[in-house]
Amino acid sequence: MRLLLIEDDPELCHELASKLAQQGFAVDSAQTGVDGAYMGESEPHDIIILDLGLPDVPGLDILAQWRRKNIATPVLILTARGAWHEKVEGFRAGADDYLTKPFHFEELLVRLQALIRRASGVAGANIVIGNLQLDEESQSAIWNDAQAGLRHIELTGIEFRLLRYMMLHPKRVFSATHLVEHVYDFNDEKESNVIEVYVSRLRKKLAKEVICTRRGQGYYLDPDALQARP
C-alpha cells in the first residue's frame, strides 16, 4: 500500500519512513505542510500520516482542505497534542484515527493496518480469502488446504504489496498503471512491464487462475479460485 508521511521532524520522518518501508509500505514523505498538502491531492495514496504541528501550514487546515475537496483517503493524525478537545477537533476535521507522541511503532503499525482493512471493507483482524491468508507481520502468505495442510509462501516486498492490494479489492479490475501507483513510491524506478512480471511470479507461487487478466483493461484477483474444493 502506498503511504504518505507528513512530519516536520527530519529524524523522526526518516526513521518512520524506513520502518514503514520494512513493513511493506511504499512511502512518500514531506516535511512541510505545503508539500504534504500537494502530495495528498496529486498522488494516489492509500493512507496518510499527518502531523499537526507543521512549520508553515497547520495540519488541521490541510486535513479540512482535503475533505472539502472530497479526498477520502484515511488519515491518521500523529501529534504531541494530546488534550481531549484537540482530539475532538481532529476528528471533526475529518481524521480517521489519532495517535499522540511519544508512541510505540508497533501501535502505529497496527492502527494503520486496521484503517486500511476497514477502508476496504475487511471486518476481521486478518486479510483472508478462502484458502489464502496474508501474514502482514512476516510479509508472506499462508495457503490452508484441507488435504495438503498449511503451506507458507515467501513473498518479495513488491509481491507482498501487490498481493495485499489485490486481496483488499477482490474482483476489481486494475490497470497496470494503477497498480504501479499503489505499490511503488514516488521515487522508485518503474519499468513499463513491471506489473506483468510480478503478476507472473505470484501466479507461479499461488495458482495461475488466482490472478486473471481482462484483455485491454488489466488484472483482477478471482476469489472463487481461492475457495476450498471438495
Side-chain angles (χ1 to χ4, degrees):
M1 312 297 287
R2 191 171 175 186
L3 179 148
L4 174 60
L5 169 63
I6 307 174
E7 167 59 58
D8 71 317
D9 182 328
E11 185 176 343
L12 179 59
C13 186
H14 177 76
E15 179 186 356
L16 283 180
S18 177
K19 287 184 175 180
L20 289 166
Q22 293 172 10
Q23 294 297 323
F25 290 92
V27 182
D28 296 325
S29 61
Q31 294 179 23
T32 66
V34 171
D35 290 342
Y38 174 76
M39 294 178 72
E41 294 179 17
S42 61
E43 296 293 329
H45 296 101
D46 298 292
I47 194 162
I48 298 172
I49 299 174
L50 174 64
D51 183 20
L52 294 187
L54 299 169
D56 50 351
V57 182
L60 283 184
D61 289 356
I62 295 172
L63 178 55
Q65 174 181 303
W66 285 339
R67 296 314 190 215
R68 285 195 300 269
K69 294 184 177 181
N70 295 320
I71 296 172
T73 308
V75 174
L76 182 147
I77 287 177
L78 184 63
T79 180
R81 304 176 187 177
W84 70 266
H85 61 87
E86 291 173 315
K87 294 181 181 181
V88 170
E89 290 175 355
F91 284 114
R92 283 178 173 169
D96 297 275
D97 203 352
Y98 198 110
L99 184 61
T100 56
K101 303 173 184 177
F103 61 92
H104 291 284
F105 177 76
E106 290 75 11
E107 181 180 0
L108 172 64
L109 180 62
V110 296
R111 284 173 178 264
L112 292 172
Q113 292 169 342
L115 285 176
I116 288 171
R117 291 195 302 269
R118 196 178 310 140
S120 300
V122 177
N126 300 301
I127 303 173
V128 182
I129 300 178
N131 290 343
L132 186 65
Q133 176 177 328
L134 204 63
D135 186 337
E136 295 190 276
E137 184 174 352
S138 66
Q139 296 181 49
S140 62
I142 301 171
W143 189 283
N144 187 4
D145 187 275
Q147 297 180 346
L150 295 178
R151 179 167 66 94
H152 290 266
I153 303 168
E154 297 297 323
L155 301 170
T156 66
I158 300 299
E159 289 170 355
F160 171 74
R161 295 182 202 170
L162 180 58
L163 181 59
R164 176 170 59 180
Y165 191 79
M166 299 191 81
M167 287 183 70
L168 286 169
H169 306 92
K171 293 187 177 181
R172 287 185 57 183
V173 180
F174 295 110
S175 68
T177 299
H178 178 98
L179 293 171
V180 163
E181 290 178 337
H182 286 267
V183 299
Y184 283 90
D185 64 47
F186 185 79
N187 295 314
D188 278 336
E189 294 290 333
K190 313 170 190 72
E191 298 180 8
S192 58
N193 67 333
V194 67
I195 292 300
E196 180 181 347
V197 171
Y198 283 106
V199 165
S200 176
R201 292 181 183 180
L202 285 176
R203 284 170 170 165
K204 290 178 181 178
K205 291 184 176 184
L206 302 173
K208 184 177 180 180
E209 62 272 17
V210 171
I211 300 178
C212 304
T213 302
R214 183 168 293 176
R215 188 177 298 275
Q217 297 182 46
Y219 304 96
Y220 67 96
L221 185 140
D222 182 5
D224 293 337
L226 295 172
Q227 301 307 313
R229 294 179 175 82

